Amino acid sequence: QVQLVESGGGLVQAGGSLRLSCTASGRTFSIYTMGWFRQTPGKEREFVAAIRWSGSSTYYVDSVKGRFTISRDNGKNTVFLQMNSLQSEDTAVYYCAADSSWTSVAGISRPNEYAYWGQGTQVTVSS
């Protein structure tokens, strides 16, 4: 089992920045990919970004490219999501996720490819 704990959400004005953190514990050696998703009421969970646990590959949804950066600190089993130039459309609950087997590039944006999820952290952007 892998446990994920997110932190760093909050209220920010449009144009501002937030940094989310997700720390993994447990069987972290089984992780290949970690991702961030977000969800608003009545909508499906949306892929935001992902990073391979080893190597340097990162993936982003088009709407956040150039504004968000995903990174990791393997020594601390932590993944970060630096969010800049935040817009009201970024308001959502953000979830950290980890897979338990290799996820193909084609599947990296699909929630069902990820076996473990954090509890979520609210990000609210006021306009």
Side-chain angles (χ1 to χ4, degrees):
Q1 290 290 327
V2 172
Q3 294 77 43
L4 303 174
V5 178
E6 301 116 332
S7 62
L11 173 65
V12 64
Q13 289 188 335
S17 299
L18 281 175
R19 188 195 197 200
L20 305 183
S21 300
C22 174
T23 300
S25 60
R27 298 171 59 89
T28 57
F29 58 84
S30 67
I31 298 173
Y32 292 89
T33 309
M34 291 191 70
W36 287 96
F37 289 76
R38 62 188 180 187
Q39 191 169 23
T40 54
K43 292 190 176 181
E44 294 186 353
R45 199 162 289 190
E46 175 193 30
F47 170 76
V48 176
I51 188 168
R52 299 297 190 186
W53 200 239
S54 62
S56 59
S57 296
T58 57
Y59 310 86
Y60 298 93
V61 68
D62 285 347
S63 61
V64 307
K65 285 181 181 176
R67 301 189 298 122
F68 291 11
T69 302
I70 189 170
S71 61
R72 67 175 195 275
D73 182 337
N74 286 28
K76 296 182 179 180
N77 290 336
T78 299
V79 171
F80 305 98
L81 185 68
Q82 178 66 44
M83 306 186 293
N84 298 330
S85 301
L86 283 161
Q87 305 165 358
S88 57
E89 305 88 83
D90 297 315
T91 294
V93 177
Y94 283 71
Y95 296 91
C96 175
D99 63 4
S100 59
S101 61
W102 179 255
T103 300
S104 69
V105 173
I108 214 159
S109 63
R110 299 174 190 155
N112 61 4
E113 294 289 336
Y114 296 81
Y116 306 106
W117 293 85
Q119 80 284 0
T121 185
Q122 177 71 47
V123 171
T124 302
V125 183
S126 63
S127 55

Short mmCIF file of all heavy atoms in Angstrom, two decimals, residues 1-2 4 97-101 103 111-117:
data_model
loop_
_atom_site.label_atom_id
_atom_site.label_comp_id
_atom_site.label_asym_id
_atom_site.label_seq_id
_atom_site.Cartn_x
_atom_site.Cartn_y
_atom_site.Cartn_z
N GLN A 1 0.83 -1.19 0.00
CA GLN A 1 0.00 0.00 0.00
C GLN A 1 0.88 1.25 0.00
O GLN A 1 1.99 1.24 0.52
CB GLN A 1 -0.90 0.02 1.24
CG GLN A 1 -2.01 -1.03 1.23
CD GLN A 1 -3.08 -0.74 0.21
OE1 GLN A 1 -3.39 0.41 -0.07
NE2 GLN A 1 -3.63 -1.80 -0.37
N VAL A 2 0.34 2.28 -0.59
CA VAL A 2 0.98 3.59 -0.61
C VAL A 2 0.01 4.60 -0.04
O VAL A 2 -1.18 4.60 -0.37
CB VAL A 2 1.38 3.99 -2.05
CG1 VAL A 2 1.88 5.42 -2.08
CG2 VAL A 2 2.45 3.03 -2.59
N LEU A 4 -0.75 8.71 0.45
CA LEU A 4 -0.41 10.01 -0.12
C LEU A 4 -1.06 11.11 0.71
O LEU A 4 -2.26 11.04 1.00
CB LEU A 4 -0.91 10.10 -1.56
CG LEU A 4 -0.41 9.03 -2.53
CD1 LEU A 4 -1.10 9.18 -3.88
CD2 LEU A 4 1.09 9.11 -2.69
N ALA A 97 -1.98 11.49 -7.05
CA ALA A 97 -2.21 10.09 -7.34
C ALA A 97 -0.90 9.39 -7.68
O ALA A 97 0.04 10.03 -8.17
CB ALA A 97 -3.18 9.96 -8.52
N ALA A 98 -0.86 8.10 -7.43
CA ALA A 98 0.31 7.29 -7.74
C ALA A 98 -0.14 5.97 -8.36
O ALA A 98 -1.15 5.39 -7.93
CB ALA A 98 1.14 7.04 -6.49
N ASP A 99 0.61 5.51 -9.33
CA ASP A 99 0.28 4.20 -9.90
C ASP A 99 1.03 3.11 -9.16
O ASP A 99 1.87 3.40 -8.30
CB ASP A 99 0.57 4.16 -11.40
CG ASP A 99 2.06 4.34 -11.71
OD1 ASP A 99 2.88 4.41 -10.77
OD2 ASP A 99 2.41 4.43 -12.90
N SER A 100 0.71 1.86 -9.47
CA SER A 100 1.38 0.74 -8.83
C SER A 100 1.98 -0.19 -9.86
O SER A 100 2.53 -1.23 -9.50
CB SER A 100 0.39 -0.04 -7.95
OG SER A 100 -0.70 -0.51 -8.72
N SER A 101 1.86 0.17 -11.13
CA SER A 101 2.49 -0.56 -12.22
C SER A 101 2.72 0.45 -13.33
O SER A 101 2.12 1.54 -13.32
CB SER A 101 1.62 -1.72 -12.70
OG SER A 101 0.38 -1.25 -13.17
N THR A 103 2.60 2.85 -16.20
CA THR A 103 1.51 3.50 -16.93
C THR A 103 2.05 4.02 -18.25
O THR A 103 3.03 4.78 -18.27
CB THR A 103 0.92 4.66 -16.12
OG1 THR A 103 0.43 4.16 -14.87
CG2 THR A 103 -0.21 5.33 -16.88
N PRO A 111 -7.62 8.66 -14.85
CA PRO A 111 -7.65 8.40 -13.40
C PRO A 111 -7.59 6.92 -13.05
O PRO A 111 -6.98 6.56 -12.03
CB PRO A 111 -8.99 9.02 -12.98
CG PRO A 111 -9.24 10.08 -13.98
CD PRO A 111 -8.72 9.54 -15.28
N ASN A 112 -8.19 6.07 -13.86
CA ASN A 112 -8.23 4.65 -13.50
C ASN A 112 -6.88 3.96 -13.65
O ASN A 112 -6.76 2.77 -13.33
CB ASN A 112 -9.32 3.91 -14.25
CG ASN A 112 -9.14 3.96 -15.75
OD1 ASN A 112 -8.14 4.47 -16.23
ND2 ASN A 112 -10.09 3.43 -16.49
N GLU A 113 -5.87 4.65 -14.15
CA GLU A 113 -4.53 4.08 -14.22
C GLU A 113 -3.79 4.20 -12.89
O GLU A 113 -2.72 3.63 -12.71
CB GLU A 113 -3.71 4.78 -15.31
CG GLU A 113 -4.22 4.55 -16.72
CD GLU A 113 -3.97 3.14 -17.20
OE1 GLU A 113 -3.04 2.48 -16.68
OE2 GLU A 113 -4.71 2.67 -18.09
N TYR A 114 -4.35 4.98 -11.97
CA TYR A 114 -3.69 5.26 -10.71
C TYR A 114 -4.38 4.50 -9.58
O TYR A 114 -5.59 4.56 -9.43
CB TYR A 114 -3.71 6.76 -10.42
CG TYR A 114 -2.92 7.55 -11.44
CD1 TYR A 114 -3.47 7.88 -12.67
CD2 TYR A 114 -1.61 7.94 -11.17
CE1 TYR A 114 -2.74 8.58 -13.62
CE2 TYR A 114 -0.88 8.65 -12.11
CZ TYR A 114 -1.44 8.96 -13.34
OH TYR A 114 -0.72 9.65 -14.27
N ALA A 115 -3.58 3.80 -8.79
CA ALA A 115 -4.12 2.94 -7.74
C ALA A 115 -4.30 3.66 -6.41
O ALA A 115 -5.12 3.25 -5.60
CB ALA A 115 -3.20 1.73 -7.53
N TYR A 116 -3.53 4.71 -6.20
CA TYR A 116 -3.54 5.38 -4.89
C TYR A 116 -3.85 6.85 -5.06
O TYR A 116 -3.37 7.50 -6.00
CB TYR A 116 -2.18 5.19 -4.21
CG TYR A 116 -1.76 3.75 -4.10
CD1 TYR A 116 -0.76 3.23 -4.92
CD2 TYR A 116 -2.37 2.90 -3.18
CE1 TYR A 116 -0.38 1.91 -4.83
CE2 TYR A 116 -1.99 1.57 -3.08
CZ TYR A 116 -1.01 1.09 -3.91
OH TYR A 116 -0.63 -0.24 -3.82
N TRP A 117 -4.61 7.38 -4.09
CA TRP A 117 -5.05 8.76 -4.15
C TRP A 117 -4.92 9.42 -2.78
O TRP A 117 -5.13 8.77 -1.74
CB TRP A 117 -6.51 8.84 -4.60
CG TRP A 117 -6.70 8.41 -6.01
CD1 TRP A 117 -6.86 7.14 -6.48
CD2 TRP A 117 -6.71 9.27 -7.16
NE1 TRP A 117 -6.98 7.15 -7.85
CE2 TRP A 117 -6.89 8.45 -8.29
CE3 TRP A 117 -6.59 10.65 -7.35
CZ2 TRP A 117 -6.95 8.96 -9.58
CZ3 TRP A 117 -6.65 11.15 -8.62
CH2 TRP A 117 -6.82 10.31 -9.74
#
